[in-house]
Amino acid sequence: MAATARIVRPEGHQVMIMTHPAEPAVTPPPAPRREESDGRTTERPLALRLLARPEVGVFLGAVAVYVFFLIAAPPVRDGSSMANVLYQSSTIGIMALPVALLMIGGEFDLSAGVAVITSALTASMLSYQLTTNVWVGVLVALLVSLAIGFFNGWMVVKTGLPSFLVTLGTFLILQGVNLAVTKLITGNVATDDISDMDGFGQARKVFASSFGVGGVQVKITIVYWLVFAAIATWVLIRTKFGNWIFAVGGNKESARAVGVPVTFTKISLFMLVGFGAWFVGMHQLFTFNTVQSGEGVGQELIYIAAAVIGGCLLTGGAGSAIGPVFGAFMFGMVQQGIVYAGWNPDWFKAFLGVMLLGAVLINLWVGRTATRR
């Protein structure tokens, strides 16, 4: 506010003068300093943020493979053909899920392929030789599969040996046992037909049935595959056990220091692979009624490749359950698409190698993009 001052001059006249109080000096705020950006806190475009998710990359790859075979193999457009593609994908995907969780936990299992056959042989020969209900063989096979997983996990944790060496040894043991025991008991390399035994019909409905959708027969394994994928995703994202998996895969010593049960987590993951081997083995047994003891060799590489293509790192600590679903779909699409296109099926392994190398390069690019300045 303005102030009034009265001044008396010598002549005796009074003069009123308006004065203004002095305002305090205002210092302008300093210009904000431009902070250095390291590329991690800067908001990146949505496209780059999406591509940084490994499952997005494999999804785009799966779409590309699907579109390619839609053009190259017209029979793929038929509903029954797509049902066959999804069925082939599910038999890979059911095992790829626990293998992926194990890889996120920092380990991998080379015995997964022959373990599938071990479970099927156990259920088949036990049921047939003892002439008992097939469900007895199924339950015993489950125990055997879980025991194999426990053995692998216990050996890795207690000895400190790389899982590559431990499971390679298990792979060779199971491969030899499958062949030798089958020949010893049956006198052949395959088990006897168990389709006329008690409980076979019920077990087939559980593990190898199909149902109609719009006139197309859909295998039950497709449903199991998607349900298992949803459960695995929920476990990784929403549960304490999921946090433990990422922790032990990133740095097990740091995880142990903050109270993560490293031994329990790793053994549980190996046993989860054993459960997957049992489930797929039961599906094969009740689909074909008999089991070839020499099968399963090489399938472990398919499962691992599906997980790697799905964004799981061999070093552990990163990955998802959704990515291996798309990875398994790509395998099923290629395997069946080559047949529908009338090409030589031997090209499947070539496509497999190309997809694997492509996925590794894409994951490398994504990792560098996520951390570049």
PDB file of all heavy atoms in Angstrom, residues 257-285:
ATOM      1  N   ALA A 257      20.979 -64.887   0.638  1.00  0.00           N
ATOM      2  CA  ALA A 257      21.284 -63.895   1.667  1.00  0.00           C
ATOM      3  C   ALA A 257      20.039 -63.156   2.153  1.00  0.00           C
ATOM      4  O   ALA A 257      19.993 -62.707   3.298  1.00  0.00           O
ATOM      5  CB  ALA A 257      22.312 -62.896   1.145  1.00  0.00           C
ATOM      6  N   VAL A 258      19.031 -63.041   1.292  1.00  0.00           N
ATOM      7  CA  VAL A 258      17.801 -62.345   1.692  1.00  0.00           C
ATOM      8  C   VAL A 258      16.703 -63.323   2.111  1.00  0.00           C
ATOM      9  O   VAL A 258      15.546 -62.923   2.263  1.00  0.00           O
ATOM     10  CB  VAL A 258      17.294 -61.440   0.554  1.00  0.00           C
ATOM     11  CG1 VAL A 258      18.301 -60.350   0.251  1.00  0.00           C
ATOM     12  CG2 VAL A 258      16.976 -62.248  -0.707  1.00  0.00           C
ATOM     13  N   GLY A 259      17.057 -64.586   2.288  1.00  0.00           N
ATOM     14  CA  GLY A 259      16.110 -65.535   2.852  1.00  0.00           C
ATOM     15  C   GLY A 259      15.357 -66.401   1.868  1.00  0.00           C
ATOM     16  O   GLY A 259      14.423 -67.111   2.259  1.00  0.00           O
ATOM     17  N   VAL A 260      15.734 -66.381   0.610  1.00  0.00           N
ATOM     18  CA  VAL A 260      15.064 -67.236  -0.378  1.00  0.00           C
ATOM     19  C   VAL A 260      15.538 -68.680  -0.201  1.00  0.00           C
ATOM     20  O   VAL A 260      16.747 -68.934  -0.152  1.00  0.00           O
ATOM     21  CB  VAL A 260      15.360 -66.756  -1.814  1.00  0.00           C
ATOM     22  CG1 VAL A 260      14.781 -67.726  -2.844  1.00  0.00           C
ATOM     23  CG2 VAL A 260      14.800 -65.360  -2.034  1.00  0.00           C
ATOM     24  N   PRO A 261      14.607 -69.645  -0.099  1.00  0.00           N
ATOM     25  CA  PRO A 261      15.012 -71.053   0.043  1.00  0.00           C
ATOM     26  C   PRO A 261      15.512 -71.614  -1.286  1.00  0.00           C
ATOM     27  O   PRO A 261      14.756 -72.221  -2.053  1.00  0.00           O
ATOM     28  CB  PRO A 261      13.731 -71.736   0.512  1.00  0.00           C
ATOM     29  CG  PRO A 261      12.633 -70.892  -0.039  1.00  0.00           C
ATOM     30  CD  PRO A 261      13.156 -69.480  -0.040  1.00  0.00           C
ATOM     31  N   VAL A 262      16.789 -71.431  -1.555  1.00  0.00           N
ATOM     32  CA  VAL A 262      17.365 -71.787  -2.850  1.00  0.00           C
ATOM     33  C   VAL A 262      17.244 -73.283  -3.112  1.00  0.00           C
ATOM     34  O   VAL A 262      16.846 -73.714  -4.204  1.00  0.00           O
ATOM     35  CB  VAL A 262      18.833 -71.330  -2.929  1.00  0.00           C
ATOM     36  CG1 VAL A 262      19.474 -71.826  -4.222  1.00  0.00           C
ATOM     37  CG2 VAL A 262      18.922 -69.813  -2.832  1.00  0.00           C
ATOM     38  N   THR A 263      17.594 -74.102  -2.119  1.00  0.00           N
ATOM     39  CA  THR A 263      17.554 -75.549  -2.297  1.00  0.00           C
ATOM     40  C   THR A 263      16.150 -76.028  -2.623  1.00  0.00           C
ATOM     41  O   THR A 263      15.933 -76.793  -3.572  1.00  0.00           O
ATOM     42  CB  THR A 263      18.066 -76.256  -1.027  1.00  0.00           C
ATOM     43  OG1 THR A 263      19.420 -75.865  -0.788  1.00  0.00           O
ATOM     44  CG2 THR A 263      17.996 -77.767  -1.185  1.00  0.00           C
ATOM     45  N   PHE A 264      15.173 -75.575  -1.853  1.00  0.00           N
ATOM     46  CA  PHE A 264      13.776 -75.967  -2.080  1.00  0.00           C
ATOM     47  C   PHE A 264      13.311 -75.530  -3.464  1.00  0.00           C
ATOM     48  O   PHE A 264      12.644 -76.294  -4.183  1.00  0.00           O
ATOM     49  CB  PHE A 264      12.890 -75.355  -1.012  1.00  0.00           C
ATOM     50  CG  PHE A 264      11.416 -75.489  -1.279  1.00  0.00           C
ATOM     51  CD1 PHE A 264      10.748 -76.676  -1.022  1.00  0.00           C
ATOM     52  CD2 PHE A 264      10.694 -74.419  -1.812  1.00  0.00           C
ATOM     53  CE1 PHE A 264       9.390 -76.804  -1.285  1.00  0.00           C
ATOM     54  CE2 PHE A 264       9.340 -74.535  -2.071  1.00  0.00           C
ATOM     55  CZ  PHE A 264       8.681 -75.731  -1.810  1.00  0.00           C
ATOM     56  N   THR A 265      13.647 -74.306  -3.853  1.00  0.00           N
ATOM     57  CA  THR A 265      13.170 -73.776  -5.134  1.00  0.00           C
ATOM     58  C   THR A 265      13.734 -74.565  -6.306  1.00  0.00           C
ATOM     59  O   THR A 265      12.995 -74.959  -7.221  1.00  0.00           O
ATOM     60  CB  THR A 265      13.561 -72.296  -5.266  1.00  0.00           C
ATOM     61  OG1 THR A 265      13.021 -71.557  -4.170  1.00  0.00           O
ATOM     62  CG2 THR A 265      13.021 -71.712  -6.568  1.00  0.00           C
ATOM     63  N   LYS A 266      15.037 -74.820  -6.295  1.00  0.00           N
ATOM     64  CA  LYS A 266      15.644 -75.522  -7.423  1.00  0.00           C
ATOM     65  C   LYS A 266      15.171 -76.970  -7.508  1.00  0.00           C
ATOM     66  O   LYS A 266      14.859 -77.475  -8.597  1.00  0.00           O
ATOM     67  CB  LYS A 266      17.171 -75.459  -7.311  1.00  0.00           C
ATOM     68  CG  LYS A 266      17.746 -74.093  -7.664  1.00  0.00           C
ATOM     69  CD  LYS A 266      19.249 -74.112  -7.715  1.00  0.00           C
ATOM     70  CE  LYS A 266      19.801 -72.760  -8.154  1.00  0.00           C
ATOM     71  NZ  LYS A 266      19.587 -72.487  -9.589  1.00  0.00           N
ATOM     72  N   ILE A 267      15.097 -77.662  -6.379  1.00  0.00           N
ATOM     73  CA  ILE A 267      14.623 -79.050  -6.409  1.00  0.00           C
ATOM     74  C   ILE A 267      13.163 -79.094  -6.867  1.00  0.00           C
ATOM     75  O   ILE A 267      12.774 -79.983  -7.649  1.00  0.00           O
ATOM     76  CB  ILE A 267      14.794 -79.706  -5.033  1.00  0.00           C
ATOM     77  CG1 ILE A 267      16.282 -79.897  -4.724  1.00  0.00           C
ATOM     78  CG2 ILE A 267      14.084 -81.057  -4.987  1.00  0.00           C
ATOM     79  CD1 ILE A 267      16.568 -80.505  -3.373  1.00  0.00           C
ATOM     80  N   SER A 268      12.355 -78.144  -6.424  1.00  0.00           N
ATOM     81  CA  SER A 268      10.950 -78.092  -6.850  1.00  0.00           C
ATOM     82  C   SER A 268      10.833 -77.899  -8.350  1.00  0.00           C
ATOM     83  O   SER A 268       9.959 -78.495  -9.005  1.00  0.00           O
ATOM     84  CB  SER A 268      10.218 -76.972  -6.115  1.00  0.00           C
ATOM     85  OG  SER A 268      10.200 -77.187  -4.720  1.00  0.00           O
ATOM     86  N   LEU A 269      11.692 -77.069  -8.930  1.00  0.00           N
ATOM     87  CA  LEU A 269      11.645 -76.829 -10.371  1.00  0.00           C
ATOM     88  C   LEU A 269      12.016 -78.095 -11.153  1.00  0.00           C
ATOM     89  O   LEU A 269      11.385 -78.408 -12.173  1.00  0.00           O
ATOM     90  CB  LEU A 269      12.585 -75.684 -10.740  1.00  0.00           C
ATOM     91  CG  LEU A 269      12.149 -74.287 -10.278  1.00  0.00           C
ATOM     92  CD1 LEU A 269      13.243 -73.266 -10.560  1.00  0.00           C
ATOM     93  CD2 LEU A 269      10.843 -73.874 -10.956  1.00  0.00           C
ATOM     94  N   PHE A 270      13.020 -78.822 -10.685  1.00  0.00           N
ATOM     95  CA  PHE A 270      13.368 -80.081 -11.352  1.00  0.00           C
ATOM     96  C   PHE A 270      12.231 -81.100 -11.222  1.00  0.00           C
ATOM     97  O   PHE A 270      11.945 -81.845 -12.171  1.00  0.00           O
ATOM     98  CB  PHE A 270      14.661 -80.647 -10.758  1.00  0.00           C
ATOM     99  CG  PHE A 270      15.910 -80.082 -11.361  1.00  0.00           C
ATOM    100  CD1 PHE A 270      16.652 -79.128 -10.683  1.00  0.00           C
ATOM    101  CD2 PHE A 270      16.348 -80.497 -12.611  1.00  0.00           C
ATOM    102  CE1 PHE A 270      17.807 -78.603 -11.236  1.00  0.00           C
ATOM    103  CE2 PHE A 270      17.501 -79.972 -13.172  1.00  0.00           C
ATOM    104  CZ  PHE A 270      18.239 -79.015 -12.487  1.00  0.00           C
ATOM    105  N   MET A 271      11.585 -81.130 -10.071  1.00  0.00           N
ATOM    106  CA  MET A 271      10.456 -82.041  -9.886  1.00  0.00           C
ATOM    107  C   MET A 271       9.264 -81.625 -10.756  1.00  0.00           C
ATOM    108  O   MET A 271       8.492 -82.472 -11.213  1.00  0.00           O
ATOM    109  CB  MET A 271      10.054 -82.105  -8.423  1.00  0.00           C
ATOM    110  CG  MET A 271      11.100 -82.738  -7.522  1.00  0.00           C
ATOM    111  SD  MET A 271      10.614 -82.810  -5.782  1.00  0.00           S
ATOM    112  CE  MET A 271       9.300 -84.040  -5.848  1.00  0.00           C
ATOM    113  N   LEU A 272       9.140 -80.326 -11.006  1.00  0.00           N
ATOM    114  CA  LEU A 272       8.086 -79.850 -11.905  1.00  0.00           C
ATOM    115  C   LEU A 272       8.330 -80.348 -13.325  1.00  0.00           C
ATOM    116  O   LEU A 272       7.383 -80.706 -14.036  1.00  0.00           O
ATOM    117  CB  LEU A 272       8.036 -78.327 -11.871  1.00  0.00           C
ATOM    118  CG  LEU A 272       6.835 -77.660 -12.544  1.00  0.00           C
ATOM    119  CD1 LEU A 272       5.542 -78.102 -11.869  1.00  0.00           C
ATOM    120  CD2 LEU A 272       6.969 -76.143 -12.482  1.00  0.00           C
ATOM    121  N   VAL A 273       9.584 -80.387 -13.741  1.00  0.00           N
ATOM    122  CA  VAL A 273       9.914 -80.976 -15.043  1.00  0.00           C
ATOM    123  C   VAL A 273       9.553 -82.453 -15.048  1.00  0.00           C
ATOM    124  O   VAL A 273       9.038 -82.988 -16.046  1.00  0.00           O
ATOM    125  CB  VAL A 273      11.408 -80.774 -15.369  1.00  0.00           C
ATOM    126  CG1 VAL A 273      11.788 -81.507 -16.662  1.00  0.00           C
ATOM    127  CG2 VAL A 273      11.732 -79.294 -15.502  1.00  0.00           C
ATOM    128  N   GLY A 274       9.807 -83.148 -13.928  1.00  0.00           N
ATOM    129  CA  GLY A 274       9.409 -84.549 -13.816  1.00  0.00           C
ATOM    130  C   GLY A 274       7.902 -84.724 -13.947  1.00  0.00           C
ATOM    131  O   GLY A 274       7.440 -85.669 -14.605  1.00  0.00           O
ATOM    132  N   PHE A 275       7.139 -83.813 -13.355  1.00  0.00           N
ATOM    133  CA  PHE A 275       5.680 -83.884 -13.496  1.00  0.00           C
ATOM    134  C   PHE A 275       5.266 -83.710 -14.953  1.00  0.00           C
ATOM    135  O   PHE A 275       4.388 -84.430 -15.457  1.00  0.00           O
ATOM    136  CB  PHE A 275       5.021 -82.806 -12.639  1.00  0.00           C
ATOM    137  CG  PHE A 275       3.530 -82.703 -12.830  1.00  0.00           C
ATOM    138  CD1 PHE A 275       2.674 -83.567 -12.159  1.00  0.00           C
ATOM    139  CD2 PHE A 275       2.980 -81.756 -13.686  1.00  0.00           C
ATOM    140  CE1 PHE A 275       1.297 -83.484 -12.341  1.00  0.00           C
ATOM    141  CE2 PHE A 275       1.617 -81.662 -13.876  1.00  0.00           C
ATOM    142  CZ  PHE A 275       0.769 -82.536 -13.195  1.00  0.00           C
ATOM    143  N   GLY A 276       5.869 -82.754 -15.640  1.00  0.00           N
ATOM    144  CA  GLY A 276       5.553 -82.561 -17.056  1.00  0.00           C
ATOM    145  C   GLY A 276       5.896 -83.786 -17.878  1.00  0.00           C
ATOM    146  O   GLY A 276       5.140 -84.171 -18.785  1.00  0.00           O
ATOM    147  N   ALA A 277       7.043 -84.424 -17.582  1.00  0.00           N
ATOM    148  CA  ALA A 277       7.429 -85.638 -18.300  1.00  0.00           C
ATOM    149  C   ALA A 277       6.411 -86.749 -18.061  1.00  0.00           C
ATOM    150  O   ALA A 277       6.067 -87.504 -18.987  1.00  0.00           O
ATOM    151  CB  ALA A 277       8.824 -86.085 -17.856  1.00  0.00           C
ATOM    152  N   TRP A 278       5.935 -86.858 -16.836  1.00  0.00           N
ATOM    153  CA  TRP A 278       4.911 -87.873 -16.525  1.00  0.00           C
ATOM    154  C   TRP A 278       3.636 -87.605 -17.311  1.00  0.00           C
ATOM    155  O   TRP A 278       3.066 -88.532 -17.912  1.00  0.00           O
ATOM    156  CB  TRP A 278       4.611 -87.857 -15.030  1.00  0.00           C
ATOM    157  CG  TRP A 278       3.370 -88.613 -14.649  1.00  0.00           C
ATOM    158  CD1 TRP A 278       3.238 -89.969 -14.546  1.00  0.00           C
ATOM    159  CD2 TRP A 278       2.085 -88.051 -14.335  1.00  0.00           C
ATOM    160  NE1 TRP A 278       1.947 -90.287 -14.184  1.00  0.00           N
ATOM    161  CE2 TRP A 278       1.216 -89.130 -14.045  1.00  0.00           C
ATOM    162  CE3 TRP A 278       1.583 -86.752 -14.275  1.00  0.00           C
ATOM    163  CZ2 TRP A 278      -0.117 -88.942 -13.703  1.00  0.00           C
ATOM    164  CZ3 TRP A 278       0.259 -86.560 -13.922  1.00  0.00           C
ATOM    165  CH2 TRP A 278      -0.574 -87.647 -13.639  1.00  0.00           C
ATOM    166  N   PHE A 279       3.202 -86.370 -17.352  1.00  0.00           N
ATOM    167  CA  PHE A 279       1.937 -86.054 -18.021  1.00  0.00           C
ATOM    168  C   PHE A 279       2.021 -86.340 -19.516  1.00  0.00           C
ATOM    169  O   PHE A 279       1.112 -86.968 -20.089  1.00  0.00           O
ATOM    170  CB  PHE A 279       1.577 -84.584 -17.788  1.00  0.00           C
ATOM    171  CG  PHE A 279       0.159 -84.246 -18.129  1.00  0.00           C
ATOM    172  CD1 PHE A 279      -0.837 -84.317 -17.171  1.00  0.00           C
ATOM    173  CD2 PHE A 279      -0.192 -83.879 -19.415  1.00  0.00           C
ATOM    174  CE1 PHE A 279      -2.150 -84.023 -17.484  1.00  0.00           C
ATOM    175  CE2 PHE A 279      -1.496 -83.582 -19.743  1.00  0.00           C
ATOM    176  CZ  PHE A 279      -2.489 -83.659 -18.771  1.00  0.00           C
ATOM    177  N   VAL A 280       3.095 -85.903 -20.155  1.00  0.00           N
ATOM    178  CA  VAL A 280       3.245 -86.141 -21.592  1.00  0.00           C
ATOM    179  C   VAL A 280       3.422 -87.634 -21.863  1.00  0.00           C
ATOM    180  O   VAL A 280       2.915 -88.174 -22.856  1.00  0.00           O
ATOM    181  CB  VAL A 280       4.422 -85.330 -22.159  1.00  0.00           C
ATOM    182  CG1 VAL A 280       4.657 -85.662 -23.627  1.00  0.00           C
ATOM    183  CG2 VAL A 280       4.164 -83.841 -22.001  1.00  0.00           C
ATOM    184  N   GLY A 281       4.132 -88.323 -20.970  1.00  0.00           N
ATOM    185  CA  GLY A 281       4.296 -89.769 -21.133  1.00  0.00           C
ATOM    186  C   GLY A 281       2.968 -90.506 -21.057  1.00  0.00           C
ATOM    187  O   GLY A 281       2.716 -91.444 -21.836  1.00  0.00           O
ATOM    188  N   MET A 282       2.094 -90.091 -20.142  1.00  0.00           N
ATOM    189  CA  MET A 282       0.775 -90.723 -20.052  1.00  0.00           C
ATOM    190  C   MET A 282      -0.050 -90.438 -21.306  1.00  0.00           C
ATOM    191  O   MET A 282      -0.787 -91.307 -21.783  1.00  0.00           O
ATOM    192  CB  MET A 282       0.029 -90.213 -18.812  1.00  0.00           C
ATOM    193  CG  MET A 282       0.665 -90.603 -17.487  1.00  0.00           C
ATOM    194  SD  MET A 282       0.935 -92.379 -17.278  1.00  0.00           S
ATOM    195  CE  MET A 282       2.668 -92.534 -17.749  1.00  0.00           C
ATOM    196  N   HIS A 283       0.094 -89.259 -21.839  1.00  0.00           N
ATOM    197  CA  HIS A 283      -0.633 -88.958 -23.079  1.00  0.00           C
ATOM    198  C   HIS A 283      -0.172 -89.866 -24.209  1.00  0.00           C
ATOM    199  O   HIS A 283      -0.998 -90.419 -24.952  1.00  0.00           O
ATOM    200  CB  HIS A 283      -0.425 -87.496 -23.472  1.00  0.00           C
ATOM    201  CG  HIS A 283      -0.874 -87.196 -24.861  1.00  0.00           C
ATOM    202  ND1 HIS A 283      -2.207 -87.178 -25.224  1.00  0.00           N
ATOM    203  CD2 HIS A 283      -0.176 -86.941 -26.001  1.00  0.00           C
ATOM    204  CE1 HIS A 283      -2.311 -86.912 -26.513  1.00  0.00           C
ATOM    205  NE2 HIS A 283      -1.098 -86.768 -27.006  1.00  0.00           N
ATOM    206  N   GLN A 284       1.132 -90.043 -24.351  1.00  0.00           N
ATOM    207  CA  GLN A 284       1.636 -90.906 -25.416  1.00  0.00           C
ATOM    208  C   GLN A 284       1.191 -92.351 -25.217  1.00  0.00           C
ATOM    209  O   GLN A 284       0.816 -93.027 -26.172  1.00  0.00           O
ATOM    210  CB  GLN A 284       3.158 -90.809 -25.474  1.00  0.00           C
ATOM    211  CG  GLN A 284       3.685 -89.460 -25.928  1.00  0.00           C
ATOM    212  CD  GLN A 284       5.175 -89.469 -26.176  1.00  0.00           C
ATOM    213  OE1 GLN A 284       5.817 -90.510 -26.154  1.00  0.00           O
ATOM    214  NE2 GLN A 284       5.750 -88.294 -26.414  1.00  0.00           N
ATOM    215  N   LEU A 285       1.240 -92.822 -23.986  1.00  0.00           N
ATOM    216  CA  LEU A 285       0.856 -94.208 -23.714  1.00  0.00           C
ATOM    217  C   LEU A 285      -0.602 -94.464 -24.067  1.00  0.00           C
ATOM    218  O   LEU A 285      -0.916 -95.452 -24.755  1.00  0.00           O
ATOM    219  CB  LEU A 285       1.110 -94.531 -22.238  1.00  0.00           C
ATOM    220  CG  LEU A 285       0.599 -95.889 -21.750  1.00  0.00           C
ATOM    221  CD1 LEU A 285       1.256 -97.031 -22.519  1.00  0.00           C
ATOM    222  CD2 LEU A 285       0.821 -96.030 -20.248  1.00  0.00           C
TER     223      LEU A 285
END
